[in-house]
Amino acid sequence: MTRVLLINGSPTAVSRSSALLSHARGGLEAAGLEVSQTSILDYPADDLVQARYGSDSFATFIEEVAAASGIIVSTPIYKASFSGGLKALLDILPQEALLGKAILPLASAGTISHLLAIDYALKPVLSVLGARDIEQGVFAVDAQFEKVDGGYTLKSELVERLDRNLGYLISRVQP
């Protein structure tokens, strides 16, 4: 079965980044794909910050990346770039870990001012890791989410854009 890995780059458990991934997960599972998920919160902070490449804590992550046909990366945007925790996690990966994988970047920010962060900050790092098939990212601003019951839901215009780009990823990874 085709596997897609979801990577959450948010430093908080309940976030807009996780809401984007939750919606994506539903679409992937509805398409019959196997989905696994990881978060920067799943790894010891010391291992991330000190770049302990050989730490056993990253073994499963590296295996999941290797086994995935597609990867969705979701991150908040801070100061016109993706989260530092996500950068630290991506730094753990071998040089060409994303070669041959379809990638869909997702980002959320407070304002439209950071619209190009996916293209100018995140995509270059993904490319250095071998990604050649990077879908057009989905950028969302806070106003496109609703806070509900201690979490977030996506407003309809965001759902439409995310579903369209998710469909492109699904078409690339399905056999």
Side-chain angles (χ1 to χ4, degrees):
M1 178 179 275
T2 302
R3 182 178 301 165
V4 177
L5 174 62
L6 309 179
I7 301 173
N8 189 346
S10 177
T12 56
V14 177
S15 66
R16 291 165 187 85
S17 297
S18 59
L20 290 168
L21 287 177
S22 178
H23 182 83
R25 180 182 204 111
L28 295 166
E29 289 174 345
L33 300 174
E34 182 181 331
V35 181
S36 60
Q37 186 165 343
T38 193
S39 167
I40 62 173
L41 299 174
D42 296 337
Y43 306 97
D46 283 352
D47 285 353
L48 281 172
V49 173
Q50 296 178 26
R52 293 183 181 146
Y53 299 106
S55 171
D56 291 340
S57 65
F58 300 119
T60 301
F61 171 63
I62 293 169
E63 290 169 8
E64 286 180 337
V65 169
S69 298
I71 296 176
I72 299 177
V73 179
S74 186
T75 182
I77 301 298
Y78 303 122
K79 309 290 188 229
S81 189
F82 60 99
S83 75
L86 178 58
K87 175 66 165 80
L89 185 60
L90 293 174
D91 283 347
I92 296 301
L93 293 172
Q95 186 65 38
E96 293 188 339
L98 302 182
L99 191 63
K101 301 181 186 311
I103 311 291
L104 176 59
L106 310 175
S108 60
T111 71
I112 198 76
S113 301
H114 301 295
L115 177 64
L116 296 176
I118 290 175
D119 292 328
Y120 291 114
L122 185 55
K123 281 185 177 181
V125 173
L126 298 172
S127 293
V128 165
L129 290 169
R132 300 292 177 264
D133 188 7
I134 304 174
E135 297 297 333
Q136 178 180 351
V138 175
F139 178 85
V141 294
D142 289 355
Q144 295 173 316
F145 295 89
E146 268 187 64
K147 192 160 179 101
V148 179
D149 298 326
Y152 296 94
T153 60
L154 286 57
K155 291 188 178 177
S156 61
E157 70 272 9
L158 178 55
V159 167
E160 290 172 22
R161 285 190 301 118
L162 181 53
D163 285 349
R164 181 178 55 247
N165 289 22
L166 187 60
Y168 297 145
L169 177 85
I170 290 168
S171 71
R172 296 224 194 290
V173 299
Q174 280 185 328

